[in-house]
Amino acid sequence: MGEFIFLFLFCVLGFQSSVLKVTQARFQATKCGDAGPDIHYPYQIKGRHQQYESLPGFELLCKDNLTTIHFPSYGDLEVKSISYDTKNIHLRDPKNCAHNVFLNLNLSLTPFHYFYVLKNYTYLNCSTTLPPPFVEVPCLSASSHHVYTVDSTLPVPGSCQGVRTVPIPFAYSPYLSDSMLGLRLTWDLREPEDNGAINRTRGSHTSRNIVIGSSMCVFVMAVLLLIRIKIRVATRNNYQKQEQLLQS
């Protein structure tokens, strides 16, 4: 009976191990440097082997222990942190100008959108400075031009030209830190049909292998159990025959 229990436990542990390998393969975290964010599915580091299909838009770059993500409409942004529970990726502009990102970043062809609620603001390019309450965006301005973000419903002053009206998390304020707010995105996980078909095929193969392995394990245990029962019956019959011979 001890052998049967041992085999049963071995099969159960083997089955659990197979299931865990399937589920944990996607979520085994890696890093780009000691201080970098944990990176796992759906993200991947370009050039590193992973045990799941890559998804467009979720490829990260690792250079000089710095984690970055590339957007064709803007360029590289540093990845400060990733919260997988809330689907929140916190980014930083290497040029320290979040409003330059807001002005030029096009997320329409990516799986991302802003984490915060958006409002339409107009970027103004003015030849002269505007009086309060208008606040100039320093990283976009120079001595010959002055850039402001204003509510899109306000009229454009005579010394200014509207550059673009875009939905962004907030207008510029010297009291709001770019690293604290703004460059936080969330994502929609929509696998392309080809990748989805591949993943479903691989998943079906894995599931089938698990089922086959479990069935074989159950079959072996059943055979051993039948053999043990037959041995017990044969032993009991022999014992009864010996008793009958002794009594006669």
Side-chain angles (χ1 to χ4, degrees):
M1 191 64 180
E3 296 86 352
F4 176 76
I5 295 176
F6 173 79
L7 182 60
F8 175 76
L9 292 176
F10 177 80
C11 289
V12 170
L13 292 175
F15 176 76
Q16 289 180 342
S17 176
S18 299
V19 173
L20 287 175
K21 285 181 180 179
V22 173
T23 56
Q24 289 180 351
R26 285 187 166 190
F27 301 101
Q28 185 175 1
T30 184
K31 284 179 178 287
C32 179
D34 295 335
D38 287 340
I39 299 170
H40 61 68
Y41 184 85
Y43 295 93
Q44 63 168 353
I45 297 179
K46 183 178 181 180
R48 292 191 185 180
H49 174 72
Q50 72 282 334
Q51 299 182 20
Y52 51 86
E53 290 296 319
S54 60
L55 299 178
F58 290 95
E59 190 173 66
L60 304 180
L61 305 174
C62 182
K63 184 178 180 181
D64 298 329
N65 293 329
L66 191 67
T67 308
T68 61
I69 184 170
H70 180 77
F71 291 96
S73 61
Y74 185 79
D76 293 343
L77 294 174
E78 180 185 350
V79 179
K80 300 294 292 181
S81 64
I82 303 175
S83 173
Y84 295 92
D85 293 334
T86 59
K87 291 186 177 181
N88 175 8
I89 180 170
H90 184 192
L91 307 176
R92 188 188 74 85
D93 181 23
K95 303 171 186 175
N96 291 318
C97 189
H99 277 276
N100 189 32
V101 181
F102 293 156
L103 181 60
N104 295 287
L105 184 62
N106 181 7
L107 297 175
S108 61
L109 299 179
T110 75
F112 299 97
H113 53 88
Y114 286 108
F115 186 76
Y116 297 109
V117 176
L118 304 181
K119 181 181 178 180
N120 284 335
Y121 287 94
T122 299
Y123 282 80
L124 299 180
N125 186 4
C126 305
S127 57
T128 60
T129 58
L130 299 180
F134 296 100
V135 181
E136 185 176 336
V137 183
C139 63
L140 294 178
S141 302
S143 58
S144 59
H145 66 276
H146 310 272
V147 177
Y148 300 85
T149 54
V150 300
D151 192 305
S152 61
T153 60
L154 294 178
V156 177
S159 62
C160 303
Q161 289 184 340
V163 178
R164 189 179 302 165
T165 298
V166 290
I168 60 177
F170 56 87
Y172 174 77
S173 170
Y175 305 106
L176 292 178
S177 170
D178 290 348
S179 62
M180 183 182 303
L181 295 174
L183 287 181
R184 293 180 183 268
L185 306 179
T186 185
W187 63 85
D188 293 321
L189 192 57
R190 298 175 182 174
E191 297 186 11
E193 292 184 1
D194 292 342
N195 281 355
I198 293 173
N199 288 336
R200 285 192 296 272
T201 301
R202 291 189 174 183
S204 63
H205 289 334
T206 302
S207 300
R208 184 176 61 185
N209 291 337
I210 292 175
V211 171
I212 292 174
S214 302
S215 301
M216 291 180 62
C217 189
V218 171
F219 175 76
V220 171
M221 287 191 295
V223 170
L224 290 177
L225 181 60
L226 289 174
I227 293 174
R228 189 168 187 85
I229 291 174
K230 287 185 177 181
I231 292 175
R232 283 192 172 186
V233 171
T235 302
R236 185 182 301 170
N237 291 337
N238 289 334
Y239 180 76
Q240 290 176 351
K241 288 181 180 179
Q242 290 176 0
E243 284 188 340
Q244 291 175 358
L245 290 173
L246 291 174
Q247 290 176 358
S248 61

